[in-house]
Amino acid sequence: MTVPLLGVYDFTVSAADGRDYALAGLRGNVSLIVNTASRCGFTPQYRELNLLHERHYDAGLRVLAFPCNQFGAQEPATDAQIQEFCATEFRIGFPVFARLEVNGPHAHALFRHLKQAQPGLLGTQAIKWNFTKFLVDRAGKVRARYAPATSPLPDTPDADHEFARRAFLQVLGITAGEAELGPSIKALETWRAIPNTTAQDARANLIWVLLN
C-alpha cells in the first residue's frame, strides 16, 4: 500500500492557548509560514506581514507566525506574553501560534517538512535565523523559501533580473512542464513584457499566481 506524501495542510500545530489547530482547515488558501521572535532586528517585519495579511486575506492569503527561541534566545517570553506583545505593538490580525522549535531533534514536524521541501542556500535545510518564510500553495505544496532579510513588502528590489526570472520560473514549475499552473502562464507573459522585472516582482507575481 502506497503511503501518500504529506502536504503542509496535513499537519496539526498548537495554538497559543495549547489547543490543537489542524492546518487542514486552511486547505484551499495560500499560506505564508514564518518563524518569528519578539526581540530580533527583523521583528518590525511583523508590521509588514500584517499589511500583507490585510491586503490579501480576502483573496485567500493566510499568514501564520510560529515564535521560536532558538536564535539568540530572542523569544524567551511565554505564549501569553507573546500574544500580548503582538497585539499591543503591532495589532496583529493573523494567528501567532505556540512557541516551538524549528531545528534540531525537537523540531516540529511541520518545520521538518518545510525545510525538506524547500532547502536553503546550497541545499542546507537548517533554518538560519528568525523570520525565514515559506510560501505554500492552495494544495499544501511548499513553493518558495525566503531568507530572514527578505522583507514581505520589500522597498529595495534585487537588481539581478535574470536570476530572479529563473527563480520565478523554477518555483512555478515551468521548466518541469507542470500542467497545474493555469493562470501562471498569464503571469509569465506579463513578466516577459516588463524588461526591468526584479526579484521584488517575482515575489509579488508568485503570490498573485498562487492566489489565482
Side-chain angles (χ1 to χ4, degrees), residues 21 136 156 196:
Y21 185 101
V136 180
T156 305
N196 62 342

Side-chain angles (χ1 to χ4, degrees), residues 9 17 47 57 82 108 121 128-129 136 162 164 172 175-176:
Y9 301 135
D17 61 6
R47 184 173 292 107
Y57 181 88
I82 293 169
H108 193 281
L121 188 65
K128 301 299 190 294
W129 203 251
V136 180
E162 184 57 29
L172 292 181
T175 55

Side-chain angles (χ1 to χ4, degrees), residues 43-72:
T43 299
Q45 287 189 19
Y46 262 131
R47 184 173 292 107
E48 298 174 349
L49 289 167
N50 205 44
L51 285 172
L52 200 65
H53 160 77
E54 291 173 348
R55 291 177 183 179
H56 299 293
Y57 181 88
D58 289 343
L61 179 66
R62 301 294 181 261
V63 177
L64 312 176
F66 291 88
C68 178
N69 194 40
Q70 288 187 290
F71 306 102

Side-chain angles (χ1 to χ4, degrees), residues 45 56 64 68 70 75 82-83 86 95 105 120 124 129 132 138-139 145 150 164 168-169 171 191 194 197 200 208 212:
Q45 287 189 19
H56 299 293
L64 312 176
C68 178
Q70 288 187 290
E75 189 56 283
I82 293 169
Q83 294 298 309
C86 289
T124 57
W129 203 251
T132 297
R138 294 184 188 274
R145 174 174 174 163
T150 301
F168 177 71
L169 299 182
V171 168
W191 178 288
I194 304 174
T197 302
Q200 177 181 356
W208 179 88
N212 287 273

Side-chain angles (χ1 to χ4, degrees), residues 17-163:
D17 61 6
R19 291 182 295 178
D20 284 348
Y21 185 101
L23 297 183
L26 300 178
R27 198 180 307 275
N29 295 290
V30 173
S31 297
L32 186 66
I33 298 176
V34 190
N35 64 292
T36 60
S38 302
R39 300 183 181 181
C40 178
F42 296 125
T43 299
Q45 287 189 19
Y46 262 131
R47 184 173 292 107
E48 298 174 349
L49 289 167
N50 205 44
L51 285 172
L52 200 65
H53 160 77
E54 291 173 348
R55 291 177 183 179
H56 299 293
Y57 181 88
D58 289 343
L61 179 66
R62 301 294 181 261
V63 177
L64 312 176
F66 291 88
C68 178
N69 194 40
Q70 288 187 290
F71 306 102
Q74 293 181 344
E75 189 56 283
T78 65
D79 287 323
Q81 290 170 334
I82 293 169
Q83 294 298 309
E84 181 179 5
F85 171 81
C86 289
T88 57
E89 295 295 323
F90 299 103
R91 299 182 182 274
I92 295 300
F94 55 83
V96 179
F97 292 90
R99 201 177 69 178
L100 48 63
E101 294 188 7
V102 301
N103 288 332
H106 302 296
H108 193 281
L110 169 63
F111 277 85
R112 292 201 301 269
H113 174 79
L114 292 169
K115 294 184 296 181
Q116 184 176 14
Q118 283 290 334
L121 188 65
L122 302 178
T124 57
Q125 291 190 15
I127 290 176
K128 301 299 190 294
W129 203 251
N130 306 306
F131 289 87
T132 297
K133 307 158 194 75
F134 295 89
L135 188 63
V136 180
D137 69 17
R138 294 184 188 274
K141 181 178 180 180
V142 188
R143 304 304 296 263
R145 174 174 174 163
Y146 303 120
T150 301
S151 168
L153 299 172
D155 295 322
T156 305
D158 185 342
D160 190 350
H161 163 66
E162 184 57 29
F163 174 83

Side-chain angles (χ1 to χ4, degrees), residues 190-211:
T190 301
W191 178 288
R192 288 171 172 165
I194 304 174
N196 62 342
T197 302
T198 63
Q200 177 181 356
D201 300 304
R203 288 189 286 275
N205 280 345
L206 180 54
I207 290 175
W208 179 88
V209 165
L210 297 181
L211 286 175

